[in-house]
Amino acid sequence: MIGKSRAALIISNPRRMVLADQADHRQPRQEAMLARKRPKKARNLLPTPACVYCGRPATTRDHVPPKAIFVELHLSDLVTVPACEDCNNRASQSDEGFRNIMGMRASEKSPNSLALWQKTFRSLRRRRHELQALWESLQEVPIFTESGLYLGAATEGAFDAEAHDRTIERITRGFYFYHFGQSLPVDSPVEAYPIRDGAHWQKAVAPLLMRMQIGNIGGPAIFEYALAREEDEPDSSLWVYRFYARHVAVAETGLLARG
C-alpha cells in the first residue's frame, strides 16, 4: 500500500508557520496597551476550540504522542492539542498498552530503551494474562538491510493491535492539527498499520521521504516522523512514524485511506 504512486504529495513549510505565528504577536505598542485594557467580558467572548478528535468543545489539552512512551522528556517539548475530557480520558486508557508495545520493540541503539523496557516489564507483571499471551506468540522473523542483505533473525511477538492503531490515529489527528492549523474532519477516515520487522519498507518509503516534511521529538532515535499532504485533497495525507529506532507505523487519511 505504501509503495503506490503519490504524485500529488506536497511539503508544508514549518518555517512559514512559525513566522506567521510570530507576526500575529508583533502588534504595535499602543494596540497592545489597548488590548490589555479590554474588559474581561470581551476577552471571554473568544470561541471555544473544538476537540481535534470528535469536534465537540474542547475542555483540556492532550499530549501527542502520549507522554507515557517517553522516559526523560520535558512536557514542554511535547505537542498539545485541544481535546474534550471524554476523548482525553479514552485515549489515556490506550497509553499503557501502546507504551508496552514500544518497550518490547525499542532498539538497544536507542537512548532510554532499557528504562522503557523496565517500565514495560513492571506493567506486564501486573497483567499476567497479557504476559502469557505474549510469550505464546513469540516467533522469529528475518531481518534485511536496505539493500536486501540478510542479517539474521529477530524475535517478534503479538501485541494489542487495537491500542496500537487507536494511538497512531490519535497521533495523526493531533499532528494534522498541529502542522496544518485545522482539524482533520471527524468523518475523514484514518488507516493505521505497523510495518513488520524484515519488511522491505525502506525501499518503498525512501522515495517518498525525499518529498516529505521531517520532524522528531526527543531526538531522532526516540521518535521521528515524516508527513505530506495532497495539494488538491487537503484531507488526504500520509504519515510515517518511527519509535525508538525500530518500530515503524504508517497512517493514511482521506482518500488515501479509502483507496
Side-chain angles (χ1 to χ4, degrees):
M1 181 176 296
I2 193 172
K4 61 187 179 183
S5 174
R6 305 185 187 284
L9 292 179
I10 62 170
I11 302 175
S12 67
N13 188 344
R15 294 183 180 178
R16 184 180 301 169
M17 294 178 65
V18 172
L19 291 176
D21 239 357
Q22 294 171 347
D24 290 342
H25 292 83
R26 293 176 183 173
Q27 51 186 342
R29 186 173 181 180
Q30 290 183 349
E31 188 175 339
M33 293 177 62
L34 290 175
R36 286 196 297 268
K37 293 180 180 180
R38 289 172 185 165
K40 292 184 178 180
K41 182 177 293 186
R43 292 199 296 267
N44 289 338
L45 293 177
L46 294 174
T48 302
C51 173
V52 300
Y53 306 123
C54 70
R56 293 181 297 178
T59 54
T60 64
R61 304 285 297 184
D62 185 35
H63 293 95
V64 287
K67 59 185 178 182
I69 69 171
F70 298 101
V71 177
E72 294 180 359
L73 192 70
H74 294 292
L75 293 182
S76 59
D77 294 331
L78 292 176
V79 171
T80 63
V81 296
C84 68
E85 190 170 356
D86 288 343
C87 287
N88 203 338
N89 291 339
R90 194 178 305 115
S92 298
Q93 296 172 8
S94 302
D95 285 356
E96 186 173 7
F98 188 79
R99 191 273 318 281
N100 290 346
I101 297 171
M102 298 303 104
M104 291 184 290
R105 294 184 50 75
S107 169
E108 295 178 357
K109 299 178 182 179
S110 176
N112 302 325
S113 60
L114 178 59
L116 183 65
W117 162 247
Q118 290 172 341
K119 292 178 65 176
T120 297
F121 184 69
R122 288 194 296 269
S123 173
L124 290 174
R125 288 184 63 182
R126 298 192 301 268
R127 304 179 175 188
R128 293 190 177 275
H129 64 288
E130 293 185 14
L131 184 59
Q132 181 64 28
L134 173 64
W135 179 261
E136 294 175 353
S137 71
L138 294 179
Q139 60 180 344
E140 289 190 344
V141 295
I143 301 296
F144 299 90
T145 64
E146 295 184 11
S147 61
L149 179 65
Y150 176 72
L151 296 178
T155 302
E156 182 180 74
F159 53 77
D160 187 344
E162 184 178 352
H164 176 276
D165 294 352
R166 188 164 53 237
T167 302
I168 294 298
E169 177 177 352
R170 168 187 168 196
I171 294 172
T172 299
R173 289 188 178 276
F175 272 5
Y176 189 98
F177 176 85
Y178 173 70
H179 282 282
F180 302 125
Q182 61 188 79
S183 296
L184 183 68
V186 176
D187 59 354
S188 180
V190 177
E191 182 178 357
Y193 48 92
I195 303 298
R196 291 189 57 189
D197 288 343
H200 294 286
W201 65 273
Q202 295 96 334
K203 291 184 178 181
V205 173
L208 297 176
L209 294 180
M210 298 291 292
R211 305 163 60 192
M212 298 175 74
Q213 178 181 335
I214 308 294
N216 73 78
I217 294 178
I222 301 295
F223 172 72
E224 54 191 327
Y225 64 97
L227 64 124
R229 185 168 66 160
E230 288 197 1
E231 185 174 9
D232 299 329
E233 293 287 345
D235 293 351
S236 299
S237 59
L238 173 69
W239 305 76
V240 181
Y241 306 105
R242 189 166 78 149
F243 302 84
Y244 285 90
R246 183 183 179 191
H247 183 78
V248 179
V250 173
E252 297 172 320
T253 71
L255 293 179
L256 296 182
R258 295 187 180 98

